């Protein structure tokens, strides 16, 4: 029993430490991490309440009320954190936080837990878990692009893995609380596993060469491209098409920036914010345009050879990209053109 308590409590304690870590990072201008820090904080408060209540049924009702009330902010902070990586629009975070703080303060004042346990367990707690569930569902839209990458067998960024881990960790914690009453020993073990996993990921990713990890949202903050810059980049991008630079094997953003004599930062911002796509998707579109021209003019070449001539490294990659962009297979496109 002591062994179980130790590992259960350790999960909550490590959650507090991670919360502090990301709060410090947030002070270093990685503002998105404020949401992550607060998410881990309220999760840790809730889990700590469960662990201590399970091993000490005489736990203060005031502490129980704080632990249960913390759940009201888990869903909103999950939503705000994931959305912060998917939108360049300034977040109206107060609309997702203050109303719930006000509601819980009023309920806590007029219906304190120690005097209204039945009300809390029958109504208030169910309402909190429902709200948590709703936010978990609407947060799903912000990780759908990652599922799309998995479906299309694209390589995931380290940030993709991290965001998936956060989302499913919070979702499984909600599931553990709602599927059975007083499952604190399960939640304690879950918290230890989840937080330990995050710590391992954190150290692996911090020591990697991908310097933009945890900072991908902030790199464009307060640096909107002016009209002259946008026009200049649009003009320079024509160089990639005219010189068919996209036919180079593994043509990268770094290479493109050097060829166009612009900074990698500016080029990336233009492609992401103005064109609304990733650099790799942009290059694939250029390749497909090349393939379409070949399909419209060359009859004696095999489809596979046309794919290689368009800059694709394999037949399967060519077919997948062509179908995704045009909605047709290369053969269907060629037949339709020569009808």
């Amino acid at each position: 029993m002591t062994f179980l308590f130790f590992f259960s409590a350790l999960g909550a304690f490590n959650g507090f430490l991670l919360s502090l870590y990301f709060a410090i990072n947030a002070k270093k201008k990685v503002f998105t991490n404020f949401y992550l820090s607060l998410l881990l904080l309220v999760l840790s408060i809730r889990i700590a309440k469960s662990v201590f209540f399970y091993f000490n049924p005489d736990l203060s009702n005031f502490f129980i009320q704080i632990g249960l009330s913390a759940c009201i902010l888990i869903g909103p902070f999950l939503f705000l954190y994931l959305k912060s990586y998917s939108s360049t629009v300034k977040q109206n975070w107060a609309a997702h936080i203050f109303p719930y703080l006000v509601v819980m303060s009023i309920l806590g004042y007029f219906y304190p837990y120690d005097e209204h346990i039945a009300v809390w367990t029958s109504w208030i707690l169910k309402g909190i878990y429902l709200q948590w569930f709703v936010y978990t569902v609407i947060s799903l839209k912000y990780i759908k692009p990652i599922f799309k990458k998995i479906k299309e067998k694209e390589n995931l960024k380290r940030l993709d893995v991290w965001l998936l881990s956060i989302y499913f960790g919070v979702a499984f914690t909600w599931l553990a609380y709602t599927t059975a009453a007083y499952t604190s020993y399960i939640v304690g073990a879950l918290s230890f596993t989840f937080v330990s996993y995050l710590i391992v990921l954190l150290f692996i990713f911090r020591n990697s060469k991908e310097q933009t990890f945890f900072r991908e949202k902030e790199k464009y903050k307060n640096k909107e491209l002016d009209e002259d810059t946008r026009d200049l980049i649009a003009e320079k991008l024509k160089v990639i098409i005219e010189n068919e630079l996209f036919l180079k094997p593994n043509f990268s953003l770094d290479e493109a920036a050097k060829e166009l004599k612009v900074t990698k930062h500016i080029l990336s911002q233009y492609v992401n914010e103005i064109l609304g796509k990733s650099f790799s998707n942009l290059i694939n579109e250029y390749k497909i345009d090349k393939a379409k021209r070949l399909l419209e003019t060359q009859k004696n070449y095999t489809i596979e050879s046309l794919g290689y001539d368009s800059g694709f490294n394999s037949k399967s990659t060519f077919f997948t990209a062509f179908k995704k962009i045009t909605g047709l297979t290369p053969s269907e496109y060629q037949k339709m053109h020569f009808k």
Side-chain angles (χ1 to χ4, degrees):
M1 187 67 71
T2 302
F3 188 75
L4 178 61
F5 172 77
F6 173 77
F7 280 102
S8 299
L10 189 59
F13 178 71
N14 285 340
F16 284 116
L17 291 182
L18 271 184
S19 174
L20 179 62
Y21 171 83
F22 287 111
I24 292 173
N25 269 272
K27 290 180 180 179
K28 294 179 180 178
K29 307 305 181 186
V30 190
F31 297 113
T32 299
N33 286 342
F34 269 127
Y35 299 132
L36 179 58
S37 174
L38 293 169
L39 170 62
L40 291 171
L41 176 63
V42 291
L43 266 174
S44 299
I45 291 173
R46 179 62 181 93
I47 291 169
K49 172 264 164 190
S50 297
V51 172
F52 285 102
F53 178 73
Y54 180 77
F55 289 98
N56 178 22
D58 296 325
L59 185 68
S60 167
N61 286 330
F62 178 71
F63 184 69
I64 294 176
Q65 181 172 323
I66 292 177
L68 295 177
S69 299
C71 287
I72 199 72
L73 297 180
I74 295 175
F77 280 131
L78 173 67
F79 171 79
L80 290 169
Y81 178 60
L82 295 178
K83 184 180 179 182
S84 68
Y85 277 106
S86 304
S87 174
T88 58
V89 178
K90 186 177 180 181
Q91 302 231 56
N92 185 14
W93 61 269
H96 294 278
I97 301 301
F98 285 136
Y100 299 120
L101 288 177
V102 171
V103 168
M104 290 311 300
S105 297
I106 293 174
L107 289 175
Y109 180 79
F110 289 102
Y111 298 93
Y113 182 84
D114 59 349
E115 298 176 11
H116 302 275
I117 295 178
V119 174
W120 276 78
T121 55
S122 299
W123 299 104
I124 297 178
L125 195 55
K126 288 182 179 179
I128 291 174
Y129 286 158
L130 176 61
Q131 179 253 23
W132 182 353
F133 174 75
V134 170
Y135 268 100
T136 303
V137 171
I138 63 176
S139 298
L140 187 62
K141 67 178 288 188
Y142 298 115
I143 61 170
K144 277 187 176 180
I146 304 177
F147 291 143
K148 187 176 181 180
K149 285 185 180 181
I150 295 173
K151 183 179 179 181
E152 296 177 357
K153 298 181 180 179
E154 293 184 23
N155 292 329
L156 297 183
K157 294 181 180 179
R158 291 176 175 85
L159 182 62
D160 294 332
V161 177
W162 177 264
L163 295 180
L164 281 177
S165 301
I166 295 293
Y167 180 82
F168 283 112
V170 173
F172 285 136
T173 302
W174 173 87
L175 186 64
Y177 276 121
T178 55
T179 51
Y182 302 106
T183 55
S184 53
Y185 57 95
I186 294 176
V187 174
L190 176 64
S191 70
F192 176 76
T193 303
F194 173 47
V195 175
S196 298
Y197 174 68
L198 290 184
I199 291 174
V200 170
L201 281 183
L202 177 62
F203 278 102
I204 291 174
F205 294 163
R206 265 180 56 93
N207 294 327
S208 73
K209 295 181 180 179
E210 189 171 317
Q211 297 300 319
T212 58
F213 185 63
F214 296 135
R215 290 173 170 79
E216 293 193 11
K217 175 62 175 66
E218 291 300 313
K219 59 185 179 181
Y220 305 141
K221 193 174 182 67
N222 298 325
K223 295 180 180 179
E224 292 185 4
L225 297 175
D226 57 55
E227 186 175 350
D228 289 340
T229 302
R230 293 198 299 268
D231 292 341
L232 177 64
I233 298 298
E235 192 65 30
K236 283 179 173 290
L237 279 176
K238 293 178 182 178
V239 174
I240 295 179
I241 301 174
E242 292 170 356
N243 297 335
E244 296 192 332
L245 301 178
F246 55 85
L247 296 180
K248 290 183 179 181
N250 302 314
F251 185 59
S252 67
L253 179 65
D254 285 327
E255 290 179 272
K258 289 177 183 177
E259 290 280 358
L260 303 182
K261 294 180 175 56
V262 297
T263 66
K264 175 183 174 182
H265 173 93
I266 294 295
L267 180 57
S268 175
Q269 182 174 2
Y270 179 87
V271 173
N272 280 268
E273 291 186 354
I274 307 304
L275 301 184
K277 60 191 69 174
S278 67
F279 180 76
S280 61
N281 285 339
L282 176 66
I283 295 303
N284 272 348
E285 289 180 6
Y286 290 160
K287 291 179 179 179
I288 294 304
D289 285 340
K290 169 76 172 181
K292 286 160 67 176
R293 291 194 298 271
L294 292 174
L295 287 167
E296 293 167 5
T297 58
Q298 304 293 333
K299 291 184 178 180
N300 298 324
Y301 284 79
T302 65
I303 298 295
E304 185 175 357
S305 65
L306 289 176
Y308 287 119
D309 288 344
S310 302
F312 290 96
N313 296 323
S314 69
K315 179 180 177 180
S316 61
T317 304
F318 172 50
F319 272 58
T320 301
F322 197 95
K323 177 78 172 180
K324 176 183 177 182
I325 292 174
T326 67
L328 301 169
T329 66
S331 297
E332 289 170 342
Y333 182 85
Q334 190 176 52
K335 289 177 181 177
M336 182 181 70
H337 181 77
F338 285 108
K339 273 186 177 180

